[in-house]
Amino acid sequence: MSQNLIIFASGSGSNAQAIIDFFRNDPEVKIRLIACNKPQAGVLNIASHEGIPTLIIEKEQFFSGNGYIDELKALDPSLIILAGFLWKLPTALVQAFPGKIINIHPALLPKYGGKGMYGHFVHEAVKASGDLQTGITIHQVDEHYDNGTFLFQAVTDIEPDDSSETIAKKVLQLEHRHFPRIIQDLLRQ
Ligand code: GRF
């Protein structure tokens, strides 16, 4: 039986691309939809190039009432994957897919998480802290920012001459290396 994935992303989409590439030759796994709240986001070019359908999420419809739950349910997703999606999900959406929504965060939660902690803000805070390590956290999604059960973490060292930009590059490499295979593990459970 084939398994359906939905990706939510609003950035450049490098994680979405890594996931697409990983499952490209897997007949059991199909990426059915890329949902995005930014019409200019790079991830939409990836979707177009890959021939993956897209959903442009409108703020009002997303946050008021049932939003897109019916459209998403119709695709029977095994997982909904947040890969650089910045909005907090409405409670109704989280409850419609219990245990099936996961997120990747570019730091070692519970540090450097919560509202406003995304993108370069995370890596700047990590650099300013003087921490010797950072990493990634893949976790289940609940109604709160960066709060659900942790599924996986990976760590990378921070060298004294690392800047927030080089930290960001190291972390993104970790994301690309681990996110697709953790998704595969979850699909096999
Ligand atoms: C990643 O660092 C991810 O952890 C964060 O947003 C970034 C998305 O990058 N939530 P990309 O759009 O996949 O390149």
Side-chain angles (χ1 to χ4, degrees), residues 11-16 83-86 103-106 119 123 171-172 175-176:
S12 67
S14 69
N15 276 287
F85 187 73
L86 299 184
N103 180 47
I104 190 161
H105 186 79
H123 307 301
V171 169
L172 200 59
E175 297 188 30
H176 298 163

Side-chain angles (χ1 to χ4, degrees), residues 19-126:
I19 295 164
I20 292 164
D21 290 342
F22 186 89
F23 290 108
R24 188 177 302 283
N25 297 316
D26 187 336
E28 303 297 317
V29 178
K30 190 157 172 54
I31 296 153
R32 297 290 305 274
L33 184 73
I34 293 183
C36 178
N37 64 301
K38 283 196 191 152
Q40 313 302 333
V43 72
L44 293 174
N45 296 331
I46 293 174
S48 155
H49 185 252
E50 298 284 350
I52 298 172
T54 55
L55 170 71
I56 303 295
I57 296 174
E58 307 284 347
K59 198 167 198 171
E60 202 173 321
Q61 200 177 339
F62 193 57
F63 289 109
S64 60
N66 203 4
Y68 298 91
I69 291 172
D70 295 340
E71 288 95 321
L72 299 173
K73 276 210 162 152
L75 299 175
D76 187 26
S78 297
L79 283 177
I80 296 177
I81 298 155
L82 310 189
F85 187 73
L86 299 184
W87 289 351
K88 191 163 75 164
L89 298 194
T91 303
L93 179 53
V94 174
Q95 291 179 349
F97 298 98
K100 288 189 175 179
I101 311 180
I102 62 170
N103 180 47
I104 190 161
H105 186 79
L108 297 170
L109 292 174
K111 293 172 92 173
Y112 310 111
K115 191 167 165 56
M117 269 296 172
Y118 61 89
H120 65 96
F121 296 112
V122 174
H123 307 301
E124 283 160 9
V126 169

Side-chain angles (χ1 to χ4, degrees), residues 97-151:
F97 298 98
K100 288 189 175 179
I101 311 180
I102 62 170
N103 180 47
I104 190 161
H105 186 79
L108 297 170
L109 292 174
K111 293 172 92 173
Y112 310 111
K115 191 167 165 56
M117 269 296 172
Y118 61 89
H120 65 96
F121 296 112
V122 174
H123 307 301
E124 283 160 9
V126 169
K127 173 66 187 172
S129 74
D131 283 2
L132 299 177
Q133 290 188 316
T134 186
I136 62 169
T137 305
I138 297 169
H139 63 94
Q140 284 185 337
V141 170
D142 64 15
E143 295 91 328
H144 308 284
Y145 275 116
D146 303 324
N147 187 65
T149 307
F150 294 174
L151 302 168

